[in-house]
Amino acid sequence: NNTKTKPLSAEITMTSPLRNSINAIICNSPQRPKSRKRSASISIDTVAFLNEVGISHLNKGKTMEAVRCFTKALCRANGSNYLASHLSPSSLLDLEVLLCEDDVKKSHCEENTTDKKTKEASNRALYVYQRDEYDEGMYGYRDLIRVEECCGDERLITATVLYNLGQSLVRHGQYEEAILWFERALMKMFNMSKYVPINVVILQHNIGHCFYRLGKYTDSMKFYQRALLDVCKLGMSEVDLAKSLNCIAVLYFHKSSDDATEAMNMFQKSLDIQKKALGSNHQEVATLLNNIGRIHYLKNEYEEALVVYQQSLEIRRARLGRDHIDVAATVYNSGQTYHQMGHLDEAMVHYQEFLKMTKVRLGEEHRDIAIMYKCIGQIHQERNELEEAKVVFQKSLRIGKAALGDSHPEIASTLNKIGNLAYEMGDLDEAMKYYKEGLTVERSVLEPDHPHIMVTLTNIAQIFKQRRDFKSAIANYREVHCMQVRMHGPNHIDVAGTLSSLGLMKYQIKDYGAAFELYQEALRIRRDCLEEDHADIASTLNSIGLVLFKQEMFEVAKECFIESLRIRTNIFGRYHRDVAILWYNIATTYIETGEEDLAMKCYRETLEVERKALGNDHHDVILTLQHMGQVHQQRGELDEALKYFAEALETERRINGKEHVAVAKILNLMGNIHLQRSQVKEVMECYSEASRIFKKNGRTHEALVVAGYN
């Protein structure tokens, strides 16, 4: 229930019925003279009864009634002033308000604009992958405890009721408040035996679980690791050990991909223990298999992930039923894996199955329903079903806003997806609109240097580049560069990518000196961070070669092109488009140095590679044919020149039709050849047809280029 995080008005706070009930407990409990001793048996029986009633209420979902019973039990066990002495009035007030479901639901409908910081903090807290609905094995100790199990130990009785009160708050999603009660119970439990019904391990697990739900992984890890140490110290069971290992491994999974191997080792050890203790078809085993599948997915081991997901799915369906939410989680994980493998049909089947299973459980307007529609939209986009993708993305956005509000990272993600789609459809204005809206959301809910903000700024810069607004593009790239340096330092590989983009912008505005310096710095970082023959190093060398070419430093430029060619050939093989580009650049450099024979040799190599890599009907092939024709024309070899131009013309007509502007340009070149040969009829035919096509395409400003006569 996302309404729980909404701030409440003062009027709601003051009229909270739970506040009155707690005040009644504190103020109206019968006071006994200090000289008179109370009956221990009567007190324990009363505490046990109140605790039992509280458990009954909580099992029925009646949280407020349960809390009333547990607080009364605490007062009976410790004296009427126990709550007042252990909690501040504001803490009591917070507890009352947080558990007043009716008032919280009412507040969800009210517009609150007075506490922006609280709202933003709430949104940040929601920005975590895991959610309460799905079992990762993090909530391993959730059973409520009866006072009768405490053998009359007053300290243990108090800890038990505190623990039950904490569980009430956990089940209501109030994790910060639950931590306070678990910690008070923990203070009671130090140095007690493992054989009591509640011990430090159980409490540490629950505190770790609360921090985990709040997205505070460092604090969560601290308590789970303490629990692991105490499991060994107290000589507890192998199952207790397995639970602690699983929780720590889940935190490693969420923390960093660098910890995937450590997480896998812990999951596997936990799995071995649980299979031995509980059997191969136990629900806990299914949870571990699902967790192991996620590690395989993280490591791009998709086949292995699908195998364990299927094992988990079989157990969960058998133990929980086909429509259980944890079954849906594994169905989604399988679909996600198929999606990454490029098996779009299988992924779509699993995504649709997830929707069918979860709409009833979660409702039509739930965060995960919105996320699933976003995944389905992505499949439509990858199938090039762009209009269908647009409809589904918009549906995801509508549901997401209904579930999470306008300012949430998931909303920003969907806005950026729609922006990407608009960009792909060629609607730059629409793309810019959604990117800017997504950026506004991201800046309101994420940390200032969050990677998602960098991605959105880069996307916006890309649109500026397409519009040839290089000044604005440079401003965006510089902002990204500053953020990356603050986050990673100046020598991170991501910094090199942004420097390269800045270099390209400087190249476009003909600031070749600045472009050269930026590309040089990018090359230095990439050589430090990457293996010797890496594609990004080859790309940077090619870019440096182009800058040097523009500065007429042809020999040095050629050396950069040749080194880039060597790397790309080693990576991609001989017949690859990126290899052809280098042959083309080398050939053009030879033209500038007057080495036409070497240039033609490189152009022929370019043409062979392009045809094998791209096929005969490709724009790159046409461009190379034209350049080869121009070289022959410059050398006076007009028959050869006309042959290459004619082939380029035929290919252009096959690709784009007879009325394309590019056809007119080639006809213009051929007309110039005929002019050199004094073939008037052919000259007029080529020029007339070229002029007609220019006019038909509204390109009257493009006059014929007449050249070649003496």
Side-chain angles (χ1 to χ4, degrees):
N1 185 353
N2 292 313
T3 62
K4 293 197 290 288
T5 59
K6 295 284 184 179
L8 301 178
S9 66
E11 289 76 17
I12 292 172
T13 298
M14 293 304 294
T15 59
S16 169
L18 188 55
R19 182 188 183 199
N20 295 331
S21 67
I22 290 182
N23 286 341
I25 294 169
I26 296 172
C27 300
N28 299 328
S29 296
Q31 299 292 318
R32 298 181 176 85
K34 291 184 180 180
S35 60
R36 182 180 176 184
K37 293 184 179 180
R38 59 182 174 167
S39 169
S41 61
I42 294 175
S43 177
I44 292 175
D45 289 343
T46 304
V47 171
F49 172 75
L50 289 168
N51 185 71
E52 189 67 30
V53 174
I55 291 173
S56 177
H57 282 313
L58 195 56
N59 287 335
K60 294 176 182 177
K62 298 178 179 180
T63 307
M64 292 177 64
E65 290 85 346
V67 168
R68 289 191 185 102
C69 291
F70 292 140
T71 51
K72 287 180 180 178
L74 280 175
C75 289
R76 290 288 185 179
N78 296 272
S80 61
N81 292 322
Y82 178 79
L83 288 179
S85 63
H86 282 73
L87 290 176
S88 65
S90 62
S91 297
L92 287 171
L93 196 61
D94 289 342
L95 179 62
E96 300 155 20
V97 173
L98 286 165
L99 293 175
C100 188
E101 293 96 339
D102 292 336
D103 287 341
V104 172
K105 289 175 183 176
K106 178 182 176 184
S107 73
H108 181 60
C109 302
E110 298 177 357
E111 184 66 25
N112 189 314
T113 59
T114 60
D115 196 353
K116 184 178 178 183
K117 288 184 178 179
T118 301
K119 186 176 180 181
E120 290 178 0
S122 170
N123 284 329
R124 285 198 181 94
L126 286 170
Y127 190 56
V128 288
Y129 171 80
Q130 35 71 25
R131 279 170 311 280
D132 295 346
E133 291 92 342
Y134 309 109
D135 180 21
E136 295 177 289
M138 301 297 281
Y139 194 17
Y141 299 95
R142 67 181 74 193
D143 292 341
L144 300 169
I145 299 174
R146 289 175 166 77
V147 168
E148 290 86 342
E149 302 175 44
C150 299
C151 303
D153 187 305
E154 182 178 329
R155 189 167 50 141
L156 187 54
I157 291 171
T158 300
T160 296
V161 180
L162 288 167
Y163 165 82
N164 287 342
L165 187 52
Q167 288 289 359
S168 303
L169 291 163
V170 168
R171 298 185 188 192
H172 201 69
Q174 303 302 334
Y175 301 112
E176 290 183 354
E177 291 71 24
I179 289 170
L180 298 176
W181 297 96
F182 288 138
E183 285 180 337
R184 291 186 180 96
L186 188 61
M187 291 170 61
K188 295 278 186 182
M189 295 306 303
F190 281 117
N191 301 319
M192 293 196 76
S193 165
K194 69 169 183 174
Y195 299 109
V196 296
I198 177 173
N199 61 29
V200 292
V201 171
I202 293 173
L203 291 165
Q204 286 165 346
H205 259 265
N206 276 280
I207 295 171
H209 170 246
C210 290
F211 277 124
Y212 175 65
R213 292 299 176 194
L214 292 168
K216 298 179 179 180
Y217 294 163
T218 301
D219 292 325
S220 179
M221 179 70 84
K222 179 173 67 175
F223 279 94
Y224 280 126
Q225 287 178 333
R226 286 179 183 174
L228 179 62
L229 291 173
D230 283 330
V231 165
C232 300
K233 179 181 177 182
L234 297 173
M236 295 176 68
S237 72
E238 287 280 286
V239 170
D240 294 306
L241 175 64
K243 288 181 179 180
S244 297
L245 289 171
N246 174 73
C247 293
I248 294 170
V250 169
L251 286 167
Y252 278 135
F253 166 79
H254 288 297
K255 183 181 176 185
S256 169
S257 58
D258 296 336
D259 297 315
T261 301
E262 184 67 22
M264 179 64 86
N265 292 337
M266 288 187 168
F267 280 141
Q268 195 60 57
K269 185 173 181 180
S270 181
L271 178 65
D272 293 341
I273 293 171
Q274 296 285 38
K275 279 185 174 180
K276 184 178 179 180
L278 306 174
S280 298
N281 296 316
H282 194 275
Q283 182 178 335
E284 296 294 334
V285 171
T287 298
L288 281 160
L289 288 168
N290 188 69
N291 289 343
I292 289 170
R294 294 195 298 169
I295 295 293
H296 283 305
Y297 177 89
L298 191 67
K299 296 170 72 175
N300 302 323
E301 299 168 353
Y302 300 128
E303 295 288 352
E304 294 87 341
L306 284 175
V307 170
V308 290
Y309 283 148
Q310 186 60 37
Q311 293 172 0
S312 176
L313 200 55
E314 289 175 2
I315 299 170
R316 283 182 161 177
R317 280 173 172 159
R319 304 283 296 190
L320 304 173
R322 301 186 69 84
D323 295 329
H324 194 275
I325 195 69
D326 289 336
V327 174
T330 308
V331 167
Y332 166 73
N333 289 343
S334 299
Q336 187 183 42
T337 306
Y338 279 122
H339 197 164
Q340 287 297 318
M341 295 171 73
H343 298 169
L344 301 185
D345 292 343
E346 292 90 340
M348 182 68 87
V349 168
H350 283 76
Y351 289 159
Q352 294 286 6
E353 184 180 354
F354 177 89
L355 278 179
K356 182 179 178 181
M357 297 168 67
T358 53
K359 278 184 178 180
V360 176
R361 170 72 180 266
L362 303 178
E364 293 281 348
E365 294 184 341
H366 187 274
R367 164 185 176 153
D368 290 353
I369 303 299
I371 291 173
M372 191 50 53
Y373 277 118
K374 184 169 65 174
C375 293
I376 291 171
Q378 187 70 34
I379 289 181
H380 283 303
Q381 186 174 358
E382 291 171 24
R383 287 173 171 173
N384 205 34
E385 300 164 352
L386 302 186
E387 290 298 334
E388 292 90 336
K390 185 175 182 180
V391 171
V392 176
F393 281 143
Q394 290 289 355
K395 187 172 185 178
S396 173
L397 182 63
R398 178 185 61 77
I399 295 172
K401 285 184 175 181
L404 302 168
D406 292 340
S407 296
H408 188 279
E410 288 293 350
I411 302 303
S413 172
T414 306
L415 289 167
N416 280 308
K417 288 285 185 185
I418 299 173
N420 292 342
L421 180 65
Y423 184 89
E424 186 175 342
M425 297 173 77
D427 191 342
L428 298 186
D429 291 339
E430 188 82 351
M432 181 66 85
K433 169 190 166 185
Y434 281 103
Y435 285 148
K436 285 186 174 180
E437 189 177 347
L439 182 64
T440 299
V441 175
E442 286 170 342
R443 282 183 159 153
S444 71
V445 299
L446 301 177
E447 297 302 320
D449 293 335
H450 196 280
H452 290 185
I453 296 176
M454 298 184 207
V455 170
T456 307
L457 285 169
T458 301
N459 288 341
I460 293 172
Q462 189 75 9
I463 293 179
F464 283 131
K465 184 177 77 171
Q466 291 291 325
R467 292 173 171 173
R468 302 192 69 78
D469 183 357
F470 301 123
K471 182 178 179 181
S472 297
I474 287 170
N476 270 48
Y477 284 132
R478 287 207 180 281
E479 185 176 356
V480 173
H481 177 254
C482 291
M483 294 167 70
Q484 289 171 333
V485 170
R486 285 195 298 268
M487 177 169 280
H488 305 301
N491 300 314
H492 193 271
I493 192 63
D494 291 347
V495 174
T498 304
L499 289 171
S500 185
S501 296
L502 280 166
L504 177 59
M505 295 302 95
K506 292 293 185 180
Y507 177 87
Q508 293 289 350
I509 63 175
K510 297 181 170 53
D511 187 353
Y512 299 126
F516 179 78
E517 290 179 2
L518 289 162
Y519 280 135
Q520 281 282 80
E521 180 65 7
L523 181 63
R524 179 193 67 77
I525 295 170
R526 283 172 168 167
R527 279 181 163 158
D528 287 344
C529 296
L530 303 173
E531 57 192 20
E532 183 178 354
D533 287 354
H534 192 279
D536 288 347
I537 293 175
S539 176
T540 312
L541 285 166
N542 181 54
S543 298
I544 292 172
L546 292 171
V547 172
L548 294 170
F549 181 91
K550 289 293 186 180
Q551 295 176 307
E552 299 185 359
M553 301 172 65
F554 300 120
E555 290 300 326
V556 186
K558 186 171 61 179
E559 290 178 11
C560 290
F561 293 144
I562 290 172
E563 176 62 9
S564 181
L565 175 65
R566 181 192 67 78
I567 296 172
R568 285 184 174 176
T569 303
N570 286 343
I571 296 171
F572 304 124
R574 181 183 174 188
Y575 298 113
H576 190 278
R577 184 186 184 188
D578 290 350
V579 172
I581 288 171
L582 269 305
W583 281 116
Y584 179 90
N585 289 346
I586 294 168
T588 307
T589 307
Y590 278 127
I591 290 292
E592 294 297 325
T593 59
E595 300 171 273
E596 293 176 352
D597 289 340
L598 290 172
M600 286 304 298
K601 180 180 178 182
C602 291
Y603 278 138
R604 283 191 289 271
E605 183 69 23
T606 303
L607 190 61
E608 181 183 354
V609 174
E610 286 173 343
R611 281 176 164 160
K612 290 193 175 182
L614 306 171
N616 289 323
D617 294 345
H618 193 277
H619 176 73
D620 289 2
V621 172
I622 296 171
L623 191 62
T624 303
L625 288 168
Q626 289 184 55
H627 275 269
M628 294 176 77
Q630 288 171 332
V631 173
H632 282 297
Q633 184 181 9
Q634 290 172 9
R635 298 172 70 171
E637 299 165 355
L638 301 185
D639 288 340
E640 286 295 310
L642 198 59
K643 182 182 75 172
Y644 282 108
F645 288 146
E647 187 176 354
L649 178 65
E650 182 183 352
T651 306
E652 189 69 63
R653 282 173 169 166
R654 281 200 306 271
I655 296 173
N656 295 314
K658 296 181 179 181
E659 305 297 318
H660 198 273
V661 170
V663 171
K665 292 181 178 181
I666 299 174
L667 285 167
N668 191 165
L669 293 172
M670 295 177 71
N672 290 337
I673 295 288
H674 291 304
L675 181 60
Q676 282 184 270
R677 300 172 71 174
S678 301
Q679 296 172 328
V680 178
K681 179 183 176 183
E682 288 81 358
V683 169
M684 294 306 297
E685 288 176 352
C686 289
Y687 285 170
S688 296
E689 180 65 4
S691 296
R692 184 190 68 78
I693 295 171
F694 280 137
K695 185 177 181 180
K696 182 174 181 179
N697 285 277
R699 307 285 282 272
T700 54
H701 63 283
E702 295 196 34
L704 291 172
V705 178
V706 180
Y709 56 89
N710 294 321

